[in-house]
Amino acid sequence: MKTLSTVKEPPKAAPAAAGKKKAIMLALPVLVAVLLLLVPVPAGLEPYAWHFFAIFVGVIVGLIFEPLPGAVIGLTGVVVIALFSQFLLFSPAELAAPGFKVASASFKWAVSGFGNSTVWLIFGAFMFAAGYDKTQFGRRLALILVKYLGRRSLTLGYAITFADLLLAPFTPSNTARSGGTIYPIIANLPPLYGSKPNDPSARKIGSYLMWVAITAACITSSMFLSALAPNLLALALVKSVIGFDISWGMWFLAFLPLGLLLILTMPLLAYWFYPPEVKINDEVPKWAIAELQKLGKLTRNEILLLVFVVCALLMWIFATAWIEPAMAALLVVVLMLWTGVLSWNDITSNKAAWNTFAWFATLVALADGLARVGFITWLGKEGGMLLQGYDPQVSAVVLLIAFFLLHYLFASTTAHTTALLPAMLTIAASIPGINMPVFCLMLCTSLGVMGIITPYGTGPSPIYYGSGYLPTKDYWRLGTIFGAIFLGAMMLIAYPWMVWMF
């Protein structure tokens, strides 16, 4: 069957207009940082801490608007702070200490993120995704589900959801998982029903399938620690700011009841709120069977990959006392290289993995720096004072809702995590009576589901938004509805469950 492209290329802007826009986007982070540097230092905060925060905000603005790749923005922030560390990073007492060497200390801080185990875990998980792609094992899993569940529109929605669910524990990028594996398959399905993009016929089934796919990606991103790259960043930030360790199993157990409920009901909710016009079609399973026949039997590399990822999952869940999760991931990468599942060229040519490695390493260093200079402690005291006198549970709920809704301001879950998670954690820690383990888990597990609220809320969102099957007004309307459902379910189901468990 011929693959049909469903994404229309946007009209090219005039070179002059595009250049002007890029210049503005490049200047914006610098302008924001400079303006904050000129603002008087708040009471109770050291000048160098405020100056560090100014550069940090400039980096976050750069991550939101992305005039350059995120890794470049993060690396620039780290280099600027390291070069001017005597004004941005180190206290007067540190600078005056005998034997203190500014140059070496600033360099050690700048590269500290590259030694973070979470950063290496992310890199290792990206290699797993490369294995799925190269062996086509991920495509096979999705096609099998379509083969058995694709006759009815509703069961096809469940097939898409379960395909994402099966891939999620091993793919740290929901963009790679949903946009790179799920979307290319389901983009072939609507034409079988006569459902075309950017056409009234889109509502026959294409619109329903696209909405189910992006919603499933958001849910599975919250279900598994390893299903979304910012989840792993959040793990490092929680440990850095609060000193609380969240294991893979703890994360999974915390979100399990709500995750199962959403996985089982979401295709049906989408069927009610955004119903397809075509309910049954016999051609879809036939197409999936034909595609599976083209793939043939399980190959040696597919079998090896399956064995390796199952072993990694078992080590992540049960063997953390004996082997660091990042080391387990690197062990599997080495095994894939020795057995030929991946080649060294696959490693070196994986731009997404290296880009994310550099990006997250710099963000970890920057976030740690905020705590190091004392800004997070100061912010926590100020935020805690504002919530003084309120019931701890009320304060916790207010902070959780604010954290969720502020995602409207971010086009990157990573930027959202870096900018807001440390502040929310510190504010909550300053309020007596808040159950911090539960609060940490609630914040972290919300990172995936909050991506549903906007067409730019998470990595695969623009892919489905640009498919031609989800008009702007429909996307915003459904994002509001499902965002409210997810937030309400977090408060009414996940929160009591976590309080009871932890």
Side-chain angles (χ1 to χ4, degrees):
M1 175 178 174
K2 186 178 179 181
T3 302
L4 298 179
S5 176
T6 58
V7 182
K8 284 191 173 183
E9 292 188 4
K12 295 183 178 180
K20 183 177 180 180
K21 181 179 179 181
K22 184 175 181 179
I24 294 174
M25 292 295 101
L26 283 169
L28 190 58
V30 178
L31 179 62
V32 170
V34 170
L35 289 175
L36 284 174
L37 286 170
L38 297 175
V39 171
V41 179
L45 190 64
E46 293 291 336
Y48 74 97
W50 178 252
H51 298 156
F52 185 102
F53 174 69
I55 303 300
F56 179 84
V57 172
V59 170
I60 297 303
V61 171
L63 291 177
I64 294 172
F65 293 99
E66 284 200 326
L68 294 171
V72 176
I73 299 296
L75 186 60
T76 301
V78 166
V79 169
V80 168
I81 291 172
L83 288 175
F84 298 95
S85 57
Q86 61 266 46
F87 308 110
L88 300 170
L89 187 61
F90 301 122
S91 67
E94 287 177 301
L95 294 172
F100 182 77
K101 297 181 179 179
V102 175
S104 60
S106 60
F107 177 77
K108 288 180 181 178
W109 170 82
V111 298
S112 62
F114 292 94
N116 185 280
S117 62
T118 302
V119 174
W120 281 101
L121 179 57
I122 293 172
F123 179 80
F126 263 96
M127 294 303 105
F128 288 12
Y132 269 87
D133 181 57
K134 185 175 182 179
T135 64
Q136 297 197 67
F137 185 60
R139 177 178 175 83
R140 184 186 297 275
L141 289 176
L143 287 170
I144 289 172
L145 289 172
V146 170
K147 171 184 174 181
Y148 292 106
L149 298 174
R151 182 172 177 266
R152 297 178 180 272
S153 299
L154 180 58
T155 55
L156 184 55
Y158 278 99
I160 293 169
T161 302
F162 292 149
D164 197 299
L165 181 66
L166 286 176
L167 296 173
F170 316 108
T171 47
S173 168
N174 60 3
T175 305
R177 178 175 73 252
S178 187
T181 302
I182 304 297
Y183 176 78
I185 293 175
I186 66 173
N188 291 277
L189 302 181
L192 298 176
Y193 294 83
S195 183
K196 301 177 182 178
N198 301 303
D199 187 82
S201 64
R203 286 299 304 274
K204 285 187 175 181
I205 193 174
S207 299
Y208 170 74
L209 296 181
M210 297 300 168
W211 183 251
V212 167
I214 182 57
T215 311
C218 292
I219 296 171
T220 58
S221 295
S222 278
M223 284 191 72
F224 305 101
L225 170 61
S226 50
L228 183 69
N231 289 351
L232 297 160
L233 175 61
L235 186 74
L237 294 176
V238 167
K239 184 174 182 179
S240 174
V241 176
I242 302 297
F244 176 56
D245 283 308
I246 301 175
S247 67
W248 197 99
M250 181 185 294
W251 182 300
F252 178 70
L253 183 61
F255 199 77
L256 181 59
L258 177 56
L260 286 177
L261 178 65
L262 292 179
I263 285 292
L264 293 175
T265 60
M266 180 275 299
L268 184 59
L269 290 173
Y271 198 80
W272 290 341
F273 287 107
Y274 207 42
E277 296 173 359
V278 176
K279 310 298 182 184
I280 300 176
N281 188 289
D282 293 321
E283 295 299 318
V284 176
K286 295 178 183 177
W287 172 79
I289 292 171
E291 291 296 307
L292 283 169
Q293 288 175 346
K294 292 178 184 178
L295 288 178
K297 295 182 179 180
L298 273 174
T299 64
R300 165 189 173 273
N301 284 354
E302 285 181 280
I303 294 172
L304 285 173
L305 178 66
L306 176 61
V307 172
F308 292 155
V309 295
V310 169
C311 289
L313 183 59
L314 292 175
M315 285 188 286
W316 288 343
I317 298 174
F318 301 112
T320 54
W322 299 279
I323 182 169
E324 169 72 32
M327 185 56 66
L330 291 177
L331 170 61
V332 170
V333 171
V334 169
L335 291 174
M336 287 195 289
L337 288 169
W338 274 85
T339 55
V341 173
L342 288 178
S343 68
W344 183 244
N345 185 61
D346 294 325
I347 304 290
T348 57
S349 63
N350 194 322
K351 294 182 180 179
W354 290 110
N355 177 67
T356 304
F357 179 76
W359 186 2
F360 274 76
T362 55
L363 290 178
V364 166
L366 288 168
D368 283 346
L370 271 183
R372 187 190 187 284
V373 300
F375 183 85
I376 298 297
T377 302
W378 171 83
L379 182 64
K381 291 179 180 178
E382 295 296 315
M385 289 177 62
L386 291 175
L387 292 173
Q388 289 297 328
Y390 292 95
D391 182 270
Q393 300 301 321
V394 173
S395 299
V397 169
V398 169
L399 290 173
L400 291 168
I401 293 175
F403 185 73
F404 191 97
L405 295 180
L406 284 171
H407 194 59
Y408 275 104
L409 303 178
F410 292 89
S412 164
T413 308
T414 302
H416 183 127
T417 304
T418 307
L420 295 183
L421 185 61
M424 292 292 181
L425 290 171
T426 308
I427 292 172
S430 70
I431 302 174
I434 288 185
N435 185 329
M436 285 308 297
V438 169
F439 186 81
C440 292
L441 287 167
M442 283 289 290
L443 285 180
C444 293
T445 56
S446 70
L447 292 171
V449 291
M450 68 172 60
I452 197 63
I453 62 179
T454 67
Y456 52 82
T458 190
S461 298
I463 297 173
Y464 291 102
Y465 178 59
S467 68
Y469 289 103
L470 295 172
T472 301
K473 64 176 183 179
D474 288 356
Y475 204 114
W476 282 99
R477 177 177 62 85
L478 292 168
T480 301
I481 293 171
F482 279 76
I485 291 172
F486 291 170
L487 179 58
M490 287 285 295
M491 293 301 171
L492 297 176
I493 298 173
Y495 190 65
W497 164 258
M498 293 182 198
V499 169
W500 182 65
M501 286 296 299
F502 306 103

